[in-house]
Amino acid sequence: MSDVFNKEKRSWIMSRIRGGNTKPEITVRKLLHGLGFRFRLHVKTLPGKPDIVLPRHRKVILVHGCFWHGHQDCSKAKRPATNAEFWDAKITANIERDRRNKSVLEDAGWQVLELWTCELKDPEELSGRLKSFLLNEGSAGGVSMARRSKQEEPESLRKRLVELLADFEQELEKGDLRSKVLCLVPAHNLLRDLGSSLISKEYAPSARERIIHYLQKYPRTVISGNELMVVAGIGEWARRVRELRVQFGWSVVNGVTAKEMSKEGDLPLESVDVSKMGPDDYLLLDETQDRDAAFRWNTANEIRRKKTSVQSKILEYMRVNIGKQITGEELRYVADNKSEWARRVRELRTEQGWPVATRTTGMPDLPVGVYLLVEDRQAPEHDRVIPDAVRRAVLQRDDYKCSECGWHHEKWNPSDPRHLEAHHVQQHAKGGANTEENLITLCNICHDKAHRK
């Protein structure tokens, strides 16, 4: 979409856009007043200066413009083709800032409602959403159950929890159900406090940091969601895991993704029985954080929404990120969570001839569960039909070195275009078989020379 205005007119229009007190914000405020709620505006002491704050309810309402805050799947959020790099960087930064602010608010015990301008057209529906959000209180006293777990000395918390449970024996003899439930609320909160206090504030002051600290302590080990729930100390622990993967670039996969990768031979972990993993089990594949991941996920989101095949989406994403390490979770997301994604990656390598490398197919120094398109070029047709198992055996036999020049991956540097390929000794066109005996390992430069001869 190119800009319909010239540069001067667009600059003038942009200068007229308000940062606060916009029409959508005023619409929401009027409805809140009509419902009898009172609130504060743009509180500077809270992250991001939220649009509407209701301190008594510990709730926050954010009114987002669809374009400026990158509303997913919204026609009003389409980005201009003119000066595209500038707009992509700006809106991506806004999205990441919104995520960070929301995460900090929720960790601090605030409940957050996000409203988009495209959702404000129907006053009756909007009023219903506001009432549902604001009247859904967590206890009889009108205080929301959303709370931040309090980290204290674990032994002190344990003793208080034991006392509460001992007192609960008398409560069980009573007939009133609600009194039993209300007596268990403090015990529930203490148990969450105890779980979050097992990891010191010095190492991990927030729920998200406690989760990654725990995963780093046990890398490439199956960790259940219940474990992460305990150390997080919050109900929305699963969202924090997703943020670690998407926003902060940690290579965390769940049981579903792990099984799909293992089925295609892309998860060589002998110590892990992937078949027993459930959807709420997790693996940290690499202890190193990938700080560029957040920018890649924004690109992944755009490609994911295209109406093309799963294989086309995966190939486009790889070509955008050529030479970069990509996780299985990213590719699964690009494929719109279709279970066939891992098979399509294998087909790109074995049938389409794209040089997609993994730890077991050409680059043993890659982290487990990572894919890399090493060159934006397909192999010759006769080299596209070599089975993965045969290709892997040839590379291992030749110690992952070029049989011609001796090049191997330890010699690689960012300006080096080389990677390893399998070459037919007797040409495939002349009856050469796809067997270990008829294949040798060559770097792509020596491979090209061999074909030119």
Side-chain angles (χ1 to χ4, degrees), residues 247-263:
Q247 184 177 341
F248 294 92
W250 292 99
S251 184
V252 182
V253 297
N254 64 16
V256 175
T257 303
K259 285 180 179 178
E260 292 166 350
M261 294 171 70
S262 178
K263 185 178 179 181

Side-chain angles (χ1 to χ4, degrees), residues 203-409:
Y203 300 109
S206 71
R208 183 172 55 238
E209 289 168 321
R210 288 192 292 274
I211 290 172
I212 191 58
H213 179 88
Y214 190 74
L215 289 170
Q216 283 181 295
K217 199 169 182 63
Y218 306 101
R220 291 169 293 284
T221 303
V222 178
I223 303 295
S224 74
N226 288 331
E227 294 176 71
L228 300 182
M229 176 181 67
V230 168
V231 298
I234 62 172
E236 294 190 335
W237 61 270
R239 180 186 294 182
R240 297 294 177 267
V241 176
R242 184 181 183 279
E243 289 171 355
L244 286 167
R245 185 172 62 240
V246 176
Q247 184 177 341
F248 294 92
W250 292 99
S251 184
V252 182
V253 297
N254 64 16
V256 175
T257 303
K259 285 180 179 178
E260 292 166 350
M261 294 171 70
S262 178
K263 185 178 179 181
E264 300 301 329
D266 294 328
L267 199 66
L269 292 175
E270 296 179 0
S271 60
V272 178
D273 187 355
V274 176
S275 65
K276 294 183 179 179
M277 289 183 67
D280 289 332
D281 291 329
Y282 297 88
L283 275 170
L284 178 66
L285 298 179
D286 189 357
E287 300 97 311
T288 305
Q289 184 181 12
D290 181 358
R291 298 185 180 276
D292 293 331
F295 296 100
R296 293 205 308 274
W297 277 85
N298 184 59
T299 304
N301 185 48
E302 293 180 356
I303 295 174
R304 178 180 186 244
R305 287 149 51 183
K306 293 185 177 181
K307 299 187 182 299
T308 57
S309 69
V310 168
Q311 192 174 82
S312 297
K313 292 176 182 178
I314 290 173
L315 179 58
E316 181 179 353
Y317 185 66
M318 285 186 160
R319 294 179 77 177
V320 168
N321 293 289
I322 190 165
K324 296 180 181 178
Q325 297 181 14
I326 298 170
T327 67
E329 284 286 356
E330 290 175 69
L331 296 179
R332 193 177 200 281
Y333 180 78
V334 168
D336 204 13
N337 295 323
K338 299 289 193 305
S339 60
E340 64 188 272
W341 71 269
R343 174 160 51 91
R344 298 302 180 211
V345 175
R346 175 177 57 77
E347 290 171 355
L348 284 170
R349 179 173 60 241
T350 60
E351 298 177 15
Q352 304 295 325
W354 290 98
V356 179
T358 66
R359 188 186 183 99
T360 59
T361 58
M363 286 194 177
D365 51 334
L366 280 178
V368 174
V370 164
Y371 301 80
L372 188 146
L373 181 64
V374 294
E375 189 178 17
D376 194 9
R377 186 187 69 167
Q378 288 177 276
E381 288 189 21
H382 63 271
D383 284 338
R384 299 180 191 176
V385 290
I386 303 172
D388 258 0
V390 175
R391 189 191 309 270
R392 186 181 304 123
V394 171
L395 292 169
Q396 290 175 341
R397 181 199 65 200
D398 295 339
D399 199 25
Y400 294 94
K401 291 182 179 179
C402 175
S403 300
E404 186 71 25
C405 69
W407 183 88
H408 53 88
H409 286 293

Side-chain angles (χ1 to χ4, degrees), residues 11-12 28 45 73 90 93 98-99 217 284 367-368 372 375 450:
S11 178
W12 181 83
V28 176
T45 55
D73 299 325
K90 185 174 185 64
D98 291 340
R99 286 175 179 165
K217 199 169 182 63
L284 178 66
V368 174
L372 188 146
E375 189 178 17

